[in-house]
Amino acid sequence: MAIVKMNKFTLLTFEAEKEKLLEKIQGSLEVEFINLQSDDLIERNEILESLKKEDIDSETSIIEENVSKTRSSIDFLRTYIADESGIKAMKKGKESLTLDELKNSVESSNWEEVYSEVKELENSLSKLENEKNRLESEIENLIPWKNFDAPLSEVNELKMTSMFLGSLPKQYKDVISKELNSVSEKSYLEIVSENNQDIFVFAITVNDDKEKVEELLKNFGFSPFQTKHTDVPKNIIDNFKGSIKEIENEKTKIKNELLTFESQKKILELAYEYYENYLLRKRVNKNLLKTDKTVLFQGWIPSKDNDLLKENIESIVGETYYISFEDVKEEEIETVPIKLENKGPAEVFDSITEMYSLPKYNEIDPTPLLTPFYIVFFGMMVADFGYGLALFLGTVAVLKLFNLDDGMKKFIKFFMYLSISTAAFGLIFGTVFGIDIKESLGIGLISPSKDTNMLLLLAVGFGVIQIFFGLGIKAYMLIRDGKPLYAFFDVGSWVMLLVGLAMLVVPSLKIVGIALAVIGSIVIVATQGRNEATTGAKIGQGLYALYGVTSYVGDLVSYTRLMALGIAGGSIAAALNLIIGMLPGWSVIIVGPLAFIGAHIFNMLLSLLGAYVHTARLQYVEYFSKFYDGGGRPFSPLSTINKYITLKKIK
């Protein structure tokens, strides 16, 4: 239905035109290239064995380097140049260029000079930061000695005495002086400072006792203070702090300069976008085969673009090419890429199908078939006119005020359609922001709090409709594929059984119901094991299939969540209103409106999330299981990167 028809093309042209041709295709069409260098493919095709593989050339390394340069510079500048705020950026939108316009812009720019300038400033900041870290480390090392008021150079200049500077474990604080005096009466020890673990000491002794004192200190775990500095520690620390201040001033100057680089950042972003897209084209080389002068392409293209592809090729190479198009063959069904193309509301529900699994090429696209059910079920689960109206106005405002890319537009439209059904069911249930307007104004057909049985029947009724609709789709697919008898075996038999069982609850139809149920059961047992080898296995498989009738009961029970979530969301909203109404005195007027808005925003978001998840579950488990297998491979054309700008396709 909405699966885009694909053709496989084979293109042979001169290698000299390859780069221009790929650039043209990337900027104009959607083409997925087949990997002709695959060993399996080459083994199956003798002609391909005689061709050479296209290697990655040296230019690719240069392009990769340019991508790395521009990306790293952009990341660096983003530290200092804030991106535009979310709302402002959404209003403005991305700049829109064609691939040719982007190429001309980058080739005429001075992006390499900008990169060099940014890199120089980055290196300067890095050097300053490294120097600052070094000085801070030196200060940290000197802090314990800031009260030592002699130049450090004098430690090694004494002739008659020997001096020791270093640290000892704090546990020896009270004994070290006494022990030192016991080994050398002509010694002196002073504790310069201490912390939680160590004491920092200055000790001096006569040269004759140096070895004894040194041995004692060593036994106590003495760690000598190592430094290349010669001045008084406090002076050194003050000088280093002054240097750090100068470094910070210099860093501030550089950062202020970087704040003015917004236009340079834009130049780098365009260059990044250009080279990243260039790199995508270069990577296509890994899919190609060639001779000395020609190159062979093969790929998939939407059949409606066949003539457009030929026009684009001719605009580059003239008549010096050969191309052929083939329809999808039976053996290619599993590998042909899938692209969905829907119109109207179904267009924005493609994501629901893709999140589950794309259809195979010989299946049907379930998106248009799930869209109305998804919209109705979602609306029934949220079911509040106020929430629906707020969501509708919000989504319309976003679409009108903001310049969004295609993906975001589809996401917003998705919730816009859902808001309509939410508001509609809100009117049916007579609920506005949790307020029961059915009681007060008489607006509404069903009261969720009172008409629970009717709501339950409505939920199960929707389930019956969707399940039988799914079975009908399966029957259509089997008849379409020339298997009408299988449609009777696999669908008709179940319809007879299920309808027959349903008729048992009506006394006047009981006999007819029994007959239908029995006939349907016999057909199921007799046919569902038809692929088994032996009669016993066929009957056994048929009986097992008949047991599957219990799953239909489980499916119908699952649809009661339509009622449950609708009641739950409305009950929570009503409870919030009740709590807000209990606020004392004037606080109802002052705080009440803010509390009302905040509480209902929270409940609305919670209801939307629950409805999104549970509605999707009903499609995937209860609906798709009746007719849909999926497993298709997504179409992956030679595309464009659109990180900083939007690249337009020119056809």
Side-chain angles (χ1 to χ4, degrees), residues 361-382:
Y361 195 70
N362 60 344
E363 288 188 306
I364 61 174
D365 176 15
T367 307
L369 306 173
L370 71 83
T371 297
F373 289 111
Y374 198 102
I375 292 174
V376 170
F377 293 173
F378 187 98
M380 187 173 176
M381 286 186 184
V382 182

Side-chain angles (χ1 to χ4, degrees), residues 207-230:
N207 287 338
D208 291 342
D209 293 340
K210 177 182 178 181
E211 292 183 1
K212 291 187 290 183
V213 171
E214 196 170 39
E215 183 66 23
L216 173 70
L217 293 174
K218 182 179 179 181
N219 291 336
F220 276 88
F222 180 74
S223 177
F225 174 54
Q226 304 288 341
T227 182
K228 63 182 180 180
H229 302 294
T230 59

Side-chain angles (χ1 to χ4, degrees), residues 385-423:
F385 179 78
Y387 292 172
L389 182 61
L391 185 60
F392 179 78
L393 294 177
T395 52
V396 169
V398 169
L399 291 171
K400 293 291 185 182
L401 298 177
F402 299 134
N403 188 0
L404 307 175
D405 58 34
D406 291 341
M408 185 56 70
K409 278 183 182 177
K410 289 178 70 173
F411 179 75
I412 299 300
K413 284 183 178 179
F414 174 79
F415 282 100
M416 184 187 73
Y417 288 122
L418 296 177
S419 69
I420 297 171
S421 67
T422 299

Side-chain angles (χ1 to χ4, degrees), residues 40-107:
D40 291 339
L41 187 60
I42 292 175
E43 287 178 5
R44 295 196 305 268
N45 195 319
E46 295 181 359
I47 296 176
L48 298 183
E49 290 182 354
S50 63
L51 301 177
K52 297 184 292 186
K53 292 182 179 181
E54 178 72 274
D55 298 323
I56 300 298
D57 56 27
S58 59
E59 188 180 11
T60 303
S61 299
I62 297 174
I63 298 169
E64 289 175 340
E65 183 181 357
N66 289 341
V67 170
S68 178
K69 283 180 178 180
T70 51
R71 181 172 52 226
S72 64
S73 295
I74 292 168
D75 290 342
F76 171 71
L77 287 176
R78 290 178 70 181
T79 308
Y80 305 99
I81 303 174
D83 292 330
E84 290 182 325
S85 64
I87 294 179
K88 185 178 179 181
M90 288 173 68
K91 282 185 176 181
K92 183 179 178 181
K94 293 179 181 178
E95 182 181 2
S96 185
L97 298 173
T98 66
L99 201 56
D100 284 340
E101 289 170 342
L102 175 63
K103 179 181 179 181
N104 294 334
S105 176
V106 172
E107 289 182 347

Side-chain angles (χ1 to χ4, degrees), residues 294-433:
T294 61
V295 61
L296 178 67
F297 300 85
Q298 200 170 69
W300 297 101
I301 185 172
S303 58
K304 61 183 177 61
D305 291 335
N306 287 355
D307 291 338
L308 193 57
L309 175 60
K310 293 171 70 174
E311 290 174 11
N312 278 273
I313 294 170
E314 290 174 3
S315 69
I316 299 298
V317 304
E319 299 295 327
T320 57
Y321 74 97
Y322 165 81
I323 191 168
S324 65
F325 296 96
E326 304 174 47
D327 290 332
V328 177
K329 300 173 183 175
E330 185 67 29
E331 62 269 20
E332 295 173 330
I333 293 295
E334 298 291 329
T335 59
V336 62
I338 304 300
K339 181 184 179 184
L340 303 181
E341 189 172 81
N342 290 293
K343 302 295 183 183
E347 180 183 10
V348 302
F349 284 83
D350 285 345
S351 60
I352 301 298
T353 299
E354 291 168 358
M355 191 164 55
Y356 179 80
S357 179
L358 287 170
K360 292 180 182 177
Y361 195 70
N362 60 344
E363 288 188 306
I364 61 174
D365 176 15
T367 307
L369 306 173
L370 71 83
T371 297
F373 289 111
Y374 198 102
I375 292 174
V376 170
F377 293 173
F378 187 98
M380 187 173 176
M381 286 186 184
V382 182
D384 187 288
F385 179 78
Y387 292 172
L389 182 61
L391 185 60
F392 179 78
L393 294 177
T395 52
V396 169
V398 169
L399 291 171
K400 293 291 185 182
L401 298 177
F402 299 134
N403 188 0
L404 307 175
D405 58 34
D406 291 341
M408 185 56 70
K409 278 183 182 177
K410 289 178 70 173
F411 179 75
I412 299 300
K413 284 183 178 179
F414 174 79
F415 282 100
M416 184 187 73
Y417 288 122
L418 296 177
S419 69
I420 297 171
S421 67
T422 299
F425 272 97
L427 290 177
I428 293 171
F429 294 168
T431 306
V432 181
F433 293 114

Side-chain angles (χ1 to χ4, degrees), residues 90 166 187 270 439 496:
M90 288 173 68
S187 298
L270 292 177
E439 288 286 332
M496 293 171 67

